[in-house]
């Protein structure tokens, strides 16, 4: 398979790209490095990327930022960071990438647990992750020609616990290898419209 992977140089991305790169052609895309560069916040940059990559069998996105702040502090501009990057960045990859995805191919996007398991400072993260779940379930019933879309929703990774631990109080970090499996299932399996929760569950 030819896989276009946005965010391939990040913490999640490196592990996923290493696993899938062993048996597929992975085109690594980041904001500043890789085979190609893109800014997912900019629809023209996304259109330029797909002109460069041409058609592909799978697209993975492990990129997207949100701002963390208290409800009292959050400004319109700070909320718009997550809306433009992690939410609409990934939505626009699907919107624009649809024309380049071969029949039978798949999109795999990335969210996180905060919409179901809220954390302090996490209102933007929660609303973006919740919106991504709705988008993926809904897009799955409209994609045609056997094309699929899934969402991976990992909790905090072990590798990221030094960075995110203070935000995710009392959360057991998940092994990166478990997170990688969800991306493998989405890309190499046949399911669609799924939210793969890795390292956490909805029951609390
Ligand atoms: N790490 C965790 O514990 C964890 C858990 C749950 C969910 N998540 C979610 O998973 C995603 C990836 O997390 P991560 O920890 O792997 O991130 P990371 O290590 O910071 O890597 C982010 C990757 O995305 C790229 N990127 C960032 N902004 C971009 C943009 N506007 N356009 C194109 N590429 C962009 C970066 O490229 P450059 O390096 O070139 O900037 C980098 O390759 C995030 O949405 C995060 O919220 C992470």
């Amino acid at each position: 398979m030819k896989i276009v992977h946005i965010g391939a140089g990040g913490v999640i991305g490196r592990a996923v790209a290493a696993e899938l790169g062993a048996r597929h052609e992975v085109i690594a895309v980041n904001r500043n490095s890789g085979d190609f560069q893109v800014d997912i916040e900019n629809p023209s940059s996304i259109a330029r990327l797909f002109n460069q990559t041409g058609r592909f069998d799978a697209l993975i996105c492990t990129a997207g930022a949100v701002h963390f702040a208290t409800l009292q502090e959050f400004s319109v501009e700070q909320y718009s960071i997550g809306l433009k990057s992690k939410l609409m960045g990934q939505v626009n990859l699907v919107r624009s990438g649809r024309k380049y995805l071969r029949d039978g191919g798949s999109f795999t996007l990335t969210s996180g647990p905060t919409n179901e398991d809220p954390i302090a400072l996490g209102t933007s993260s929660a609303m973006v992750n919740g919106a991504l779940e709705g988008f993926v379930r809904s897009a799955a019933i409209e994609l045609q020609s056997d094309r699929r879309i899934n969402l991976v929703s990992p909790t905090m990774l072990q590798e990221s616990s030094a960075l995110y631990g203070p935000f995710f109080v009392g959360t057991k970090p998940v092994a990166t290898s478990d997170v990688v499996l969800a991306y493998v299932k989405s890309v190499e399996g046949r399911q669609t419209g799924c939210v793969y929760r890795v390292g956490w569950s909805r029951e609390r």
Side-chain angles (χ1 to χ4, degrees), residues 10-12 30-32 38-40 62-64 86 111 154 157 160:
V11 170
I12 297 178
N30 301 294
R31 197 169 25 191
N32 303 302
V38 71
D39 179 2
I40 61 170
T62 54
K86 190 168 178 177
S111 62
L157 273 70
S160 301

Side-chain angles (χ1 to χ4, degrees), residues 105-128:
S106 67
F107 293 106
T108 306
L109 308 185
T110 302
S111 62
T114 50
N115 55 312
E116 297 274 355
D117 194 7
I119 58 170
L121 315 183
T123 55
S124 174
S125 171
M127 78 187 187
V128 164

Side-chain angles (χ1 to χ4, degrees), residues 6-7 11 16 25 45 56 68 97-98 108 117 154 166 173 175 192 195-196:
I6 294 101
V11 170
V16 171
E25 178 196 0
S45 174
F56 48 82
F68 290 92
R98 206 174 38 80
T108 306
D117 194 7
T192 191
V195 177
Y196 298 121

Side-chain angles (χ1 to χ4, degrees), residues 11-181:
V11 170
I12 297 178
R14 283 193 301 273
V16 171
E19 174 68 25
L20 289 172
R23 49 189 180 276
H24 303 286
E25 178 196 0
V26 175
I27 314 286
V29 185
N30 301 294
R31 197 169 25 191
N32 303 302
S33 61
D35 300 312
F36 298 109
Q37 290 79 49
V38 71
D39 179 2
I40 61 170
E41 296 182 32
N42 179 348
S44 314
S45 174
I46 292 176
R48 201 161 44 244
L49 169 69
F50 292 138
N51 261 325
Q52 292 171 309
T53 64
R55 287 165 67 76
F56 48 82
D57 303 292
L59 180 143
I60 297 172
C61 182
T62 54
V66 294
H67 187 75
F68 290 92
T70 65
L71 181 61
Q72 290 73 20
E73 282 165 354
F74 249 115
S75 65
V76 172
E77 291 73 25
Q78 288 169 338
Y79 275 123
S80 78
I81 293 170
L83 296 176
K84 281 173 69 179
S85 179
K86 190 168 178 177
L87 178 56
M88 287 313 297
Q90 296 196 89
V91 168
N92 283 327
L93 286 171
V94 173
R95 198 184 56 78
S96 196
R98 206 174 38 80
K99 300 187 260 324
Y100 293 84
L101 184 67
R102 293 198 182 105
D103 292 359
S106 67
F107 293 106
T108 306
L109 308 185
T110 302
S111 62
T114 50
N115 55 312
E116 297 274 355
D117 194 7
I119 58 170
L121 315 183
T123 55
S124 174
S125 171
M127 78 187 187
V128 164
N129 289 334
L132 284 166
E133 290 199 12
F135 173 74
V136 164
R137 286 205 190 88
S138 186
I141 66 168
E142 291 199 49
L143 279 175
Q144 292 164 347
S145 309
D146 235 8
R147 291 180 297 176
R148 306 177 296 106
I149 182 166
N150 296 300
L151 183 67
V152 178
S153 177
T155 192
M156 174 179 63
L157 273 70
Q158 282 169 357
E159 263 190 78
S160 301
S161 56
L163 189 62
Y164 295 130
F167 293 92
F168 288 83
V169 177
T171 295
K172 184 179 175 196
V174 66
T176 305
S177 54
D178 288 352
V179 177
V180 168
L181 284 176

